[in-house]
Amino acid sequence: MPAFFHHLSEVLYQVLECVGVNPWVVERRRHTFRHREAAEDVDDHQPGCDTTTFHFGSQSEGTTTPGLQSDLDQLLLYNHVNIMYSWADWQQGKFNLLMVREEDTPPQHYLLQWIRSDIPQPVTHTDDPDFVTDSQGRVFYSNMAIVNVMAAALEDAHLPHLRHGPSNSWSEDWDFVHAFHCKTLLPEIRSWFTKMQQCFWPSQETLQAARKCGCFVVPAGCHSSSNEQIEWRITPNLIERLLMLSLNMVPIKCLVVLKIMKKEVFVKYIICKNCKFTTFHCKTALFFTLNRTHPTVWTKNRLLECIVRCLQTILEFLHQGECPHFIVEGVDLFYGKLCRQCQLRLERAIQGMIEDDMQVLFHVQCDDLGQRLMALPHDVRPYPSNDVNAGICGKLSWDMFDHYLNMVVVVCHRLCNSEEADLYTSLNNEINKLESLEMNASTTHYHKNYINFVVKSLMSVKASVTSSSCIESGQPLPQDIWQLYGESLDTDVALSKLKLASMHYCKGELRRAASVLHEVEFDLDDSVQPMCGWFLLGNKKLSKAFCEYTVQNYSHEQLTKKLAFCVRFLREEKFCAPWFLWCEMYRAEGDDVDWMDWAEVDARPFLLYLQYLTYRGLGLRHIQLDAFHRLDDIVTSQDKLDQLHHPETVFNLIGHCWELEGNLHMALDAYNASLRGKPRNNAANWHKQRLELLMNNYN
C-alpha cells in the first residue's frame, strides 16, 4: 500500500465520523430499532395475532448515512406455521409444511409440502388456489399465496403494490418480507460452521450464538426455474445480523464506503437493464475479507487498506464469474443479478480504481465525501457534534416515539370500535393485560419502556373518559381520578396536561385551568418537537434545538421532556373538551355526514386557544388578547403553518376566536382558509354554513 494511505485512512475515518458513521450514532440506530422490534412484539401479542416482527438491513445495523438513503427492511414471521425438515418435526394442530428438495431444485431453495395437522400424513387433495398439486399427488404451498394476500390488501387500501424478490410493499422506502421460521440447522448452513472453526473471524462466541438462530423461509423462487411459483428461499438473516453486531467501527466504516461506491461509482459500469450490483454483494465481500484477514489489519490507520482488500475480494468474485454466499453453501449471488458482460466491465473499473490509489474517493459526491476529504485539515482531530449527527439523532428519536404514538392511536381505535365492552372497561382490560405482560420474566427493558408509555397514554384516556362521564351527569369526580391524571402527565410535555386543563375549564374551574396552562406554556419552548401518531414527518422540519438536545439526551424520560403530541379527544371524552371541538367529531363531506372517532389538534395552538377561552372567562382581557394574537400568528406565518399536523382544525379554532371577538368576516375568512387546505371531511363546512346564515339574518 502507498505510504500516504495511513494518513488518508485517518482522514477518511474522521470524515465518516462526521456523516454519522461513529460509535454514538451506530449504537443509537441499533437502540432505536431494538425498541421498535420490542414495541411490535408487544402488539403481536394482541388477540388474533400470531406473528413476530424483525428489522434487518442498513438502518437497524447502523451501516448507513443520510446520503445513502437506505430503505427499511422489515420481516414479519408467521408463528402458526410449522416448518418441518424431517417427519420428527411434525406438530399437531399446526399448519405443517415439509421442506422438500428435488434433483432440479436450485441451491438455497425448497418446496413446501402440505402435511395434515391432525396426523403426520401428507394432504393429497385440495381445491385451494394457494396450493399446487404435482404429478405424484403431492400438494405444495405456492409462494404466490402471500403475494396475492398482500396485493389484495394494498388494493383495498388504494396503495400501489411493489414487489422485489420476496419483498411486497407500497413504497420504495420500505421492504416488507413475510416469512416462516425453520429451527433446524440445515445441511447447507451446518457445513459453514465446520469451515469457520480455523478462520480469523467470526469468533467462537458468535458462532456458538449463531447455531441457535435457524433460518427463515421466504416466498421467492428462482427466476429461471420451472417451479418458480412453489419454490421458497432459505435465508439466515438472524445469523447475518449477529455477524454485523459483532463488528467494530473499522469494518463498519469499510462497508459504508463500499455501499457509497456501489451507489455512485459502480452503477456507471452496469449497463444492462436488469443487472445490478447490490448492497448484499458488498456485505458478502466484507464478510469474506474479514474471514481471511488477521484482526491486526482492521485498525483506524489501515482503513483504506481494508477497503482495498474488500475491493480485491470483489475482483476475485468478478474474475471467476461467481459470488458465493458467505453462509449458505452452493449459492451464486451473481446469478440472475449481474450478467457476465457487466461483471467484466465492473472488474476492469475496480482494478483501475485500485491502481489509481483510490483517487476515486475524492470525487464522490454522496454525503459530500470527496469534498470533506479535501477540506479536512491535516491534523486529524476528534469529530465534533455537528449538524449531520444531530440531525440523525433527532430523526431517530422522532421515529421511535412517532412509532410508539402510532401504536397508541391504533390501540385506541381498536378499543373504540370494540363491541365486546364499553370503552372504560376495554381500557381497564387493556391496561391490566399490558401490566401483566410487563411483569413477565422474558420481558426486556425495551419492552418495558414501550409498555410503560402505552399504559400511561391509556391512563390519560381513562381519566378523561371518567371525568367526561361525571361532567355529563353532574356527578363529582371520584377521588382516584387524580392519581390517574398524575400517573399519566409525563407521557410528553403537553398532551395529558392540556387534557387536564381542558377538563378544569369544562368544569368551570378556570383558575385551576389557568395554572395548568401556565405550566404547559413554560415547558413548551422552541426545543420541543410537535408530533402526531397519524402523520409522517414528511416535509416538516425537526427543530435544530430538538436535534441538538437528542445528541446527549436519548433516554425515554429525557426525550419525553422535548416532545409535544397532538391532543386527541375521543367521543367518550367530549365533555372534557370545549364544545367547539365537538364539531371536529362530526364533519360534513358535501351532502354526506361523517362521524369521526375523535377530534385532534396540535398542542401549541390548542394551548393558546384554551388560554384565550380561560382568560376570557376570568376577565383577564390583556392576557386573553395576547393568546389570541399568538394563535393568529401561527396561521398567518407560512413557516409555522407548514409545521402543523392539523392546520384545518387550527384555522377553525382561530375562526371561533374571531367570532367571539365579534368579527364575523374574519371568522368566515378563517373557515374558508380551512376549507382550502381540506375541502372535504372538515368541520369548517358546518361553521361556514352556520356563519353565512347568521350574517344573512343580520343583513
Side-chain angles (χ1 to χ4, degrees):
M1 298 294 165
F4 69 86
F5 263 35
H6 283 293
H7 175 72
L8 187 55
S9 291
E10 299 259 4
V11 175
L12 179 58
Y13 194 96
Q14 172 66 13
V15 166
L16 292 167
E17 297 265 298
C18 294
V19 296
V21 193
N22 56 70
W24 185 259
V25 173
V26 169
E27 181 52 36
R28 290 292 295 278
R29 289 190 186 277
R30 294 175 178 180
H31 174 81
T32 299
F33 282 94
R34 282 196 293 267
H35 272 104
R36 291 185 66 143
E37 275 192 5
E40 285 149 355
D41 188 39
V42 171
D43 290 298
D44 287 340
H45 281 79
Q46 296 295 342
C49 293
D50 194 15
T51 56
T52 304
T53 303
F54 295 92
H55 287 278
F56 296 110
S58 304
Q59 294 275 12
S60 60
E61 293 167 356
T63 57
T64 188
T65 67
L68 283 172
Q69 299 178 321
S70 301
D71 59 11
L72 292 165
D73 300 310
Q74 184 169 312
L75 184 142
L76 188 66
L77 180 67
Y78 291 98
N79 298 315
H80 71 284
V81 177
N82 178 43
I83 296 297
M84 304 166 49
Y85 182 69
S86 68
W87 286 99
D89 299 328
W90 180 83
Q91 293 182 23
Q92 188 169 14
K94 286 276 193 176
F95 179 28
N96 293 288
L97 295 171
L98 177 65
M99 302 177 75
V100 175
R101 281 187 60 81
E102 304 291 323
E103 289 185 2
D104 60 345
T105 304
Q108 205 182 355
H109 289 81
Y110 282 84
L111 312 182
L112 299 182
Q113 185 181 0
W114 192 12
I115 307 299
R116 291 172 58 169
S117 60
D118 54 346
I119 56 173
Q121 294 290 333
V123 174
T124 56
H125 176 75
T126 182
D127 295 325
D128 193 325
D130 290 342
F131 295 86
V132 175
T133 305
D134 73 352
S135 58
Q136 301 177 43
R138 297 177 299 179
V139 180
F140 292 108
Y141 194 37
S142 169
N143 58 44
M144 292 300 294
I146 290 176
V147 175
N148 293 336
V149 168
M150 280 294 295
L154 292 172
E155 183 179 356
D156 290 343
H158 306 291
L159 294 170
H161 179 210
L162 307 177
R163 189 183 178 201
H164 303 294
S167 167
N168 292 273
S169 182
W170 63 86
S171 168
E172 295 290 353
D173 296 329
W174 281 86
D175 277 340
F176 290 97
V177 176
H178 298 252
F180 312 134
H181 190 219
C182 175
K183 299 176 183 177
T184 304
L185 195 59
L186 301 175
E188 51 268 70
I189 295 177
R190 192 184 307 126
S191 61
W192 175 72
F193 287 94
T194 304
K195 290 188 294 185
M196 293 297 107
Q197 295 302 317
Q198 303 301 321
C199 298
F200 290 119
W201 179 88
S203 69
Q204 291 304 309
E205 291 77 12
T206 302
L207 289 173
Q208 187 175 355
R211 284 183 177 275
K212 304 173 185 177
C213 291
C215 66
F216 295 118
V217 181
V218 299
C222 184
H223 75 282
S224 61
S225 172
S226 58
N227 291 322
E228 182 180 359
Q229 291 195 356
I230 58 172
E231 289 171 350
W232 295 71
R233 184 195 303 165
I234 60 169
T235 173
N237 297 75
L238 289 174
I239 297 177
E240 290 163 5
R241 180 161 75 173
L242 269 178
L243 297 179
M244 288 304 304
L245 295 180
S246 73
L247 301 181
N248 61 33
M249 286 310 302
V250 174
I252 286 174
K253 291 174 188 284
C254 187
L255 179 57
V256 169
V257 173
L258 291 177
K259 289 180 180 181
I260 291 174
M261 293 181 71
K262 184 271 302 181
K263 176 185 175 72
E264 187 171 320
V265 183
F266 295 175
V267 70
K268 299 174 184 177
Y269 302 97
I270 300 172
I271 57 174
C272 297
K273 182 180 178 182
N274 296 319
C275 287
K276 59 181 178 179
F277 189 87
T278 68
T279 294
F280 194 67
H281 291 136
C282 295
K283 184 185 289 187
T284 301
L286 174 68
F287 286 171
F288 274 104
T289 309
L290 280 162
N291 181 248
R292 59 197 186 194
T293 306
H294 196 277
T296 56
V297 174
W298 299 90
T299 58
K300 178 179 178 179
N301 64 351
R302 298 178 74 173
L303 173 60
L304 207 52
E305 177 186 341
C306 294
I307 294 169
V308 171
R309 284 175 180 265
C310 289
L311 291 175
Q312 289 170 337
T313 302
I314 294 173
L315 281 180
E316 180 186 325
F317 296 157
L318 293 168
H319 182 72
Q320 66 192 21
E322 180 182 352
C323 179
H325 196 290
F326 183 63
I327 298 170
V328 184
E329 190 176 45
V331 177
D332 176 15
L333 296 176
F334 283 159
Y335 183 72
K337 294 285 186 182
L338 200 62
C339 71
R340 189 59 184 152
Q341 180 185 3
C342 289
Q343 290 175 25
L344 294 173
R345 284 176 56 87
L346 189 56
E347 180 186 1
R348 289 192 294 270
I350 293 176
Q351 186 65 54
M353 296 172 204
I354 295 174
E355 291 173 356
D356 196 31
D357 295 334
M358 298 302 295
Q359 295 297 305
V360 65
L361 293 177
F362 289 98
H363 303 284
V364 170
Q365 296 180 10
C366 182
D367 294 298
D368 297 323
L369 189 71
Q371 202 169 16
R372 289 174 182 271
L373 278 173
M374 291 184 283
L376 201 71
H378 292 294
D379 54 325
V380 180
R381 295 166 294 179
Y383 79 96
S385 174
N386 57 24
D387 290 344
V388 175
N389 286 298
I392 294 170
C393 291
K395 181 67 165 54
L396 288 170
S397 301
W398 191 94
D399 282 344
M400 184 171 70
F401 271 92
D402 181 69
H403 186 68
Y404 279 14
L405 193 57
N406 180 260
M407 294 291 197
V408 172
V409 170
V410 170
V411 170
C412 287
H413 188 270
R414 173 170 55 80
L415 296 180
C416 286
N417 291 283
S418 172
E419 298 179 356
E420 297 179 1
D422 61 273
L423 181 58
Y424 182 87
T425 304
S426 296
L427 285 165
N428 262 341
N429 293 340
E430 191 74 19
I431 290 169
N432 291 336
K433 184 177 67 178
L434 288 168
E435 288 178 337
S436 297
L437 185 60
E438 186 178 11
M439 299 300 291
N440 193 303
S442 63
T443 302
T444 69
H445 75 278
Y446 296 109
H447 293 85
K448 292 179 188 293
N449 282 335
Y450 171 68
I451 291 171
N452 186 257
F453 177 83
V454 177
V455 166
K456 285 183 178 180
S457 300
L458 295 182
M459 281 181 173
S460 174
V461 177
K462 181 181 171 183
S464 193
V465 167
T466 303
S467 301
S468 178
S469 177
C470 291
I471 294 171
E472 181 184 15
S473 62
Q475 299 294 318
L477 299 182
Q479 287 300 314
D480 62 352
I481 196 73
W482 305 115
Q483 182 180 352
L484 273 177
Y485 275 115
E487 291 177 354
S488 64
L489 289 182
D490 60 348
T491 52
D492 67 328
V493 299
L495 188 152
S496 296
K497 291 178 183 177
L498 285 174
K499 291 177 78 168
L500 174 61
S502 184
M503 183 272 289
H504 284 309
Y505 169 79
C506 293
K507 282 183 93 271
E509 300 169 345
L510 301 185
R511 294 197 179 278
R512 288 187 176 183
S515 175
V516 177
L517 291 172
H518 178 73
E519 182 182 343
V520 175
E521 184 178 23
F522 179 80
D523 292 335
L524 206 59
D525 58 35
D526 291 339
S527 65
V528 172
Q529 182 62 42
M531 182 178 293
C532 179
W534 260 163
F535 298 97
L536 297 174
L537 187 61
N539 61 352
K540 295 176 177 57
K541 298 176 182 176
L542 293 172
S543 78
K544 184 176 180 180
F546 171 74
C547 291
E548 290 174 347
Y549 175 84
T550 62
V551 173
Q552 300 296 333
N553 304 278
Y554 60 93
S555 72
H556 275 63
E557 294 76 14
Q558 292 166 327
L559 288 174
T560 52
K561 296 175 183 177
K562 295 299 176 183
L563 293 171
F565 304 144
C566 290
V567 182
R568 183 184 310 108
F569 289 100
L570 305 177
R571 286 173 284 177
E572 290 81 357
E573 301 174 87
K574 71 175 186 177
F575 288 97
C576 286
W579 73 266
F580 191 79
L581 275 181
W582 298 7
C583 301
E584 297 295 322
M585 304 177 188
Y586 197 58
R587 304 180 181 194
E589 284 193 358
D591 296 328
D592 302 322
V593 170
D594 186 20
W595 177 256
M596 309 299 288
D597 279 332
W598 50 58
E600 194 162 11
V601 60
D602 297 76
R604 196 180 298 274
F606 185 59
L607 165 70
L608 297 171
Y609 176 68
L610 262 186
Q611 284 182 323
Y612 176 84
L613 296 179
T614 301
Y615 295 134
R616 178 174 184 265
L618 290 170
L620 301 174
R621 179 62 175 167
H622 63 292
I623 312 179
Q624 177 198 4
L625 284 177
D626 177 65
F628 172 67
H629 292 315
R630 285 190 289 151
L631 180 59
D632 187 56
D633 180 57
I634 291 176
V635 297
T636 53
S637 167
Q638 192 60 48
D639 287 342
K640 294 178 181 178
L641 200 59
D642 289 342
Q643 294 301 102
L644 295 177
H645 292 97
H646 306 277
E648 76 284 353
T649 303
V650 177
F651 271 115
N652 292 341
L653 296 185
I654 193 66
H656 184 223
C657 293
W658 278 117
E659 284 192 62
L660 294 176
E661 289 294 311
N663 193 328
L664 301 188
H665 290 286
M666 288 299 293
L668 189 60
D669 286 345
Y671 298 141
N672 282 326
S674 178
L675 288 169
R676 282 195 294 273
K678 190 174 184 179
R680 298 179 60 80
N681 198 25
N682 188 341
N685 285 298
W686 293 110
H687 301 315
K688 182 179 178 183
Q689 292 174 28
R690 174 179 54 79
L691 207 58
E692 287 176 340
L693 182 62
L694 185 63
M695 293 169 73
N696 288 335
N697 289 338
Y698 281 160
N699 294 333

